[in-house]
Amino acid sequence: MVNICPCAFVLLGLFVQSILALWPIPRSLVGGSTPVKLSPSFAIDLRNMHDPPPDLLAAVARSRSRLVSDRFQRLVLGRGASDADAIARARTLDSIVLALCPGSFIRSIAEETNQPIDSKSESYQLQVPTDGTRATLMANSTLGLLRGLTTFEQLWCDYKGVKYMLDGPLRIDDEPAFPYRGFSFDTSRNFYPVSDILRTIDAMSWVKLGVLYWHIIDSQSFPLEVPAFPELSEKGAYSLDEIYTQDDVQRIIKYANERGVDVVLEMDSPGHTTAISAAHPEHVACASKSPWSKYASEPPAGQLRIASPSTLSFAHTLFTSMARTLPSTMMSSGGDEVNLPCWEDDQQTMADLARRNITIDDALNEFVQTVQDVIVEHGKTPFIKSDMVLTHNVPVVSDTVVVVWQKSEDATAVARRGLRLIHQPSDHFYLDCGGGEWLGNDVLGNSWCDPFKTWQRAYSFDPYANLTTQQLSLVLGGQMPLWSEQSSPENLDPIVWPRLAVGAEVFWTGAILPDGLPRLNPNATASTHALARFNELRYRMVDRGISAIALQPKWCVLRPGECDLGS
């Protein structure tokens, strides 16, 4: 546990059952029943911090603005009007003081965000008094201050322009249960403008999601401008208007880092690479070959010629060209769903194998080693998809992080190999499931991962299921993905939000709620428990311009408990 100003941070294990509806719920939360309201001239004071980083000043400015502009009203019958008497007698809070603990390094939020995944400090302590003194927010890092500001913003409801809470005095001691809490975003199958990605990053930051795992290329399109190979996007993108230039990529990374979101670029390979053939057909086997179902998991078929020395050199340069531009200490080579018949039916691949006297397994091992070596040489931790390890038994470097995606039970097999992992199970977390078949000429077809993954299904996930005590430290966290076969800018917000925020609570709060109950207790998703808080989060997001889908009829939202099964 990382302490706030050593010896001061203690998980108290107490919780006040009241209107507080924070998401993710803090690890420790103690409150009262005294109303507090913000002064019209409420100030956020950076005390004892000489020359604060510009991105911290910007975060403070955003919080000041949102404390004025947020118009969320409490979700009860009568809404804010029901609290008018309490607001009238509430004590006024004039300011909050933000401070780093003595001896803390003063680094920018972006610098803290790009620390190694197991070295980030996100803990904070927040106190809101009711005696007329200032609120305080203490942390060991600027990233911790950012997380605390996010919590502080969620405390307040609005009524006729007055911001108030009913739960003072309040103390929160908080830190994440897992360092990795992410969103895997496919922007290749359908293109998303930069503005959509930035808006998504904003919402991620509001719920303390700390990683954007960016699936930026795939078989259908290659929208990434690569400095060493500009022709890949010029010929492989859907159009010249649907390319992420290097300026776009750096803008997105900078924007994310300043909001506490690390960006992990996934260059999926050797499969899912058909789009490369538009510029370099010499490197791609079975490109758009028919029937696609024999050669790929979805159309179009095509994957890199792993036995070709020139293709290995190409992949080395491709990864090097991008790795040197990325500030994150993590990078992914993907690796899912490679197809053996694609190589077996490719004359050049079979000739290369024969000439070099190696097997497909040998070539696949060599390819993975080549790209992992590039990632490591650039000071980054390599990520790889679980089927590379479990299905193909590919050797990986010792600090590789495995993305467990096919089914949740695969985590135990990865852990038995002593490898670190993040959870991305299709049976719990896939945001795109349930939309039906997207392939034509399949009247009765369903998507491969049906049914729709409800927020309650995702919330039921246990990151430590079936793992031994010795294996628990291998779990870094998890992420929920959006694959974009049936998603685009038009439905981005409602298909992602608020369900993506479930991953934030699963991996921030962990196994135990602040009242001491297990997060997965029998009534966990009841509308007087997690659902009440989740409904509030959804309404707050809508208030801030996120088109998050409704979870219930408003009648139910305003009457917690009356729409539960068996009520």
Side-chain angles (χ1 to χ4, degrees):
M1 181 182 295
V2 177
N3 285 343
I4 295 292
C5 303
C7 300
F9 181 62
V10 180
L11 291 181
L12 300 173
L14 299 173
F15 177 55
V16 56
Q17 290 286 356
S18 60
I19 69 158
L20 280 177
L22 302 173
W23 195 284
I25 198 163
R27 307 286 299 283
S28 170
L29 171 61
V30 181
S33 57
T34 301
V36 185
K37 60 188 174 187
L38 296 183
S39 166
S41 58
F42 181 79
I44 302 177
D45 179 12
L46 287 167
R47 177 165 292 186
N48 300 326
M49 193 180 302
H50 176 68
D51 195 21
D55 58 6
L56 178 59
L57 293 174
V60 167
R62 290 194 300 272
S63 288
R64 285 198 191 102
S65 177
R66 287 195 284 257
L67 288 171
V68 173
S69 63
D70 284 353
R71 288 292 183 265
F72 170 78
Q73 292 196 17
R74 197 156 72 90
L75 296 176
V76 293
L77 292 173
R79 306 299 295 274
S82 64
D83 298 325
D85 291 343
I87 295 170
R89 68 174 187 275
R91 297 295 298 267
T92 298
L93 184 68
D94 293 321
S95 64
I96 182 171
V97 176
L98 275 56
L100 291 176
C101 297
S104 298
F105 291 107
I106 302 178
R107 290 188 287 233
S108 69
I109 294 171
E111 289 176 297
E112 295 287 355
T113 298
N114 285 314
Q115 293 298 303
I117 189 63
D118 51 2
S119 300
K120 298 178 195 280
S121 175
E122 302 180 82
S123 55
Y124 66 91
Q125 181 186 92
L126 174 63
Q127 297 192 69
V128 180
T130 57
D131 60 2
T133 58
R134 294 178 166 190
T136 58
L137 173 59
M138 299 286 293
N140 292 314
S141 71
T142 54
L143 182 57
L145 292 177
L146 175 69
R147 301 301 187 218
L149 280 172
T150 300
T151 300
F152 186 76
E153 292 172 17
Q154 280 193 25
L155 296 176
W156 309 97
C157 299
D158 177 86
Y159 181 61
K160 295 184 176 180
V162 177
K163 303 301 186 292
Y164 70 98
M165 58 175 283
L166 303 180
D167 304 272
L170 175 70
R171 172 171 166 168
I172 292 172
D173 295 272
D174 203 11
E175 66 177 357
F178 298 90
Y180 191 107
R181 308 169 308 281
F183 174 41
S184 176
F185 191 8
D186 167 17
T187 64
S188 55
R189 290 181 172 93
N190 280 310
F191 183 85
Y192 297 82
V194 170
S195 59
D196 285 334
I197 299 174
L198 299 184
R199 185 180 70 255
T200 301
I201 289 168
D202 278 329
M204 290 174 63
S205 182
W206 301 338
V207 293
K208 303 181 178 68
L209 287 168
V211 180
L212 174 63
Y213 185 99
W214 193 359
H215 181 86
I216 196 170
I217 58 173
D218 210 291
S219 283
Q220 291 83 1
S221 80
F222 198 108
L224 172 64
E225 181 185 62
V226 177
F229 300 112
E231 67 274 15
L232 289 174
S233 57
E234 291 168 358
K235 296 183 178 181
Y238 288 129
S239 73
L240 295 180
D241 294 326
E242 295 170 286
I243 292 173
Y244 300 108
T245 67
Q246 278 299 300
D247 285 345
D248 291 334
V249 172
Q250 294 307 314
R251 178 187 174 196
I252 288 167
I253 290 174
K254 181 176 185 293
Y255 190 93
N257 292 170
E258 291 174 349
R259 287 155 180 79
V261 177
D262 201 345
V263 179
V264 178
L265 202 69
E266 180 179 72
M267 305 275 285
D268 204 356
S269 60
H272 291 275
T273 48
T274 316
I276 290 174
S277 68
H280 288 281
E282 70 275 15
H283 294 310
V284 180
C286 71
S288 298
K289 193 168 183 177
S290 180
W292 64 262
S293 57
K294 179 180 178 181
Y295 300 109
S297 59
E298 64 180 48
Q303 51 198 36
L304 293 176
R305 286 183 165 128
I306 55 174
S308 165
S310 65
T311 300
L312 282 175
S313 177
F314 168 81
H316 185 281
T317 303
L318 175 68
F319 273 80
T320 299
S321 184
M322 287 307 303
R324 61 168 53 122
T325 71
L326 306 172
S328 178
T329 59
M330 301 175 282
M331 187 177 182
S332 178
S333 59
D336 60 316
E337 298 180 325
V338 297
N339 181 285
L340 297 182
C342 175
W343 290 317
E344 292 166 347
D345 288 0
D346 181 59
Q347 289 185 355
Q348 180 177 328
T349 296
M350 298 311 292
D352 287 332
L353 291 173
R355 180 174 52 81
R356 300 179 62 198
N357 193 28
I358 61 174
T359 65
I360 287 178
D361 286 345
D362 295 332
L364 186 58
N365 294 347
E366 183 182 21
F367 179 89
V368 171
Q369 180 180 340
T370 296
V371 297
Q372 283 208 324
D373 284 349
V374 172
I375 293 171
V376 172
E377 286 166 7
H378 286 81
K380 304 181 189 305
T381 297
F383 281 52
I384 199 167
K385 291 296 177 61
S386 52
D387 37 342
M388 270 290 164
V389 173
L390 300 182
T391 302
H392 301 286
N393 294 304
V394 172
V396 294
V397 299
S398 60
D399 69 337
T400 296
V401 176
V402 179
V403 181
V404 179
W405 69 273
Q406 289 170 302
K407 57 184 185 296
S408 51
E409 292 82 3
D410 287 342
T412 57
V414 172
R416 280 197 297 269
R417 296 170 185 247
L419 294 171
R420 296 186 299 172
L421 63 95
I422 61 168
H423 291 288
Q424 185 189 287
S426 61
D427 50 1
H428 284 78
F429 282 175
Y430 273 37
L431 296 167
D432 51 297
C433 299
E437 182 62 271
W438 58 272
L439 297 170
N441 199 32
D442 190 6
V443 175
L444 300 179
N446 292 309
S447 64
W448 74 274
C449 57
D450 275 2
F452 181 87
K453 301 302 180 283
T454 67
W455 79 268
Q456 294 181 76
R457 172 66 173 168
Y459 196 83
S460 72
F461 184 72
D462 179 2
Y464 289 148
N466 303 314
L467 298 178
T468 67
T469 301
Q470 292 74 26
Q471 293 169 339
L472 300 186
S473 62
L474 298 173
V475 181
L476 297 180
Q479 61 191 17
M480 298 179 72
L482 176 66
W483 303 110
S484 290
E485 287 92 344
Q486 293 177 293
S487 299
S488 63
E490 291 75 19
N491 70 334
L492 173 61
D493 284 6
I495 201 168
V496 170
W497 301 110
R499 283 187 299 154
L500 177 57
V502 170
E505 178 145 311
V506 169
F507 295 109
W508 179 282
T509 305
I512 304 298
L513 298 172
D515 61 2
L517 289 176
R519 183 180 58 80
L520 298 179
N521 70 79
N523 297 314
T525 62
S527 61
T528 53
H529 297 288
L531 181 52
R533 293 186 293 109
F534 208 39
N535 270 320
E536 176 167 317
L537 174 69
R538 183 261 171 182
Y539 274 76
R540 287 184 181 274
M541 285 189 157
V542 170
D543 178 58
R544 290 185 178 181
I546 302 296
S547 298
I549 196 169
L551 298 166
Q552 289 184 303
K554 194 172 184 178
W555 190 93
C556 300
V557 173
L558 299 179
R559 296 167 176 83
E562 295 191 32
C563 293
D564 285 354
L565 188 66
S567 63

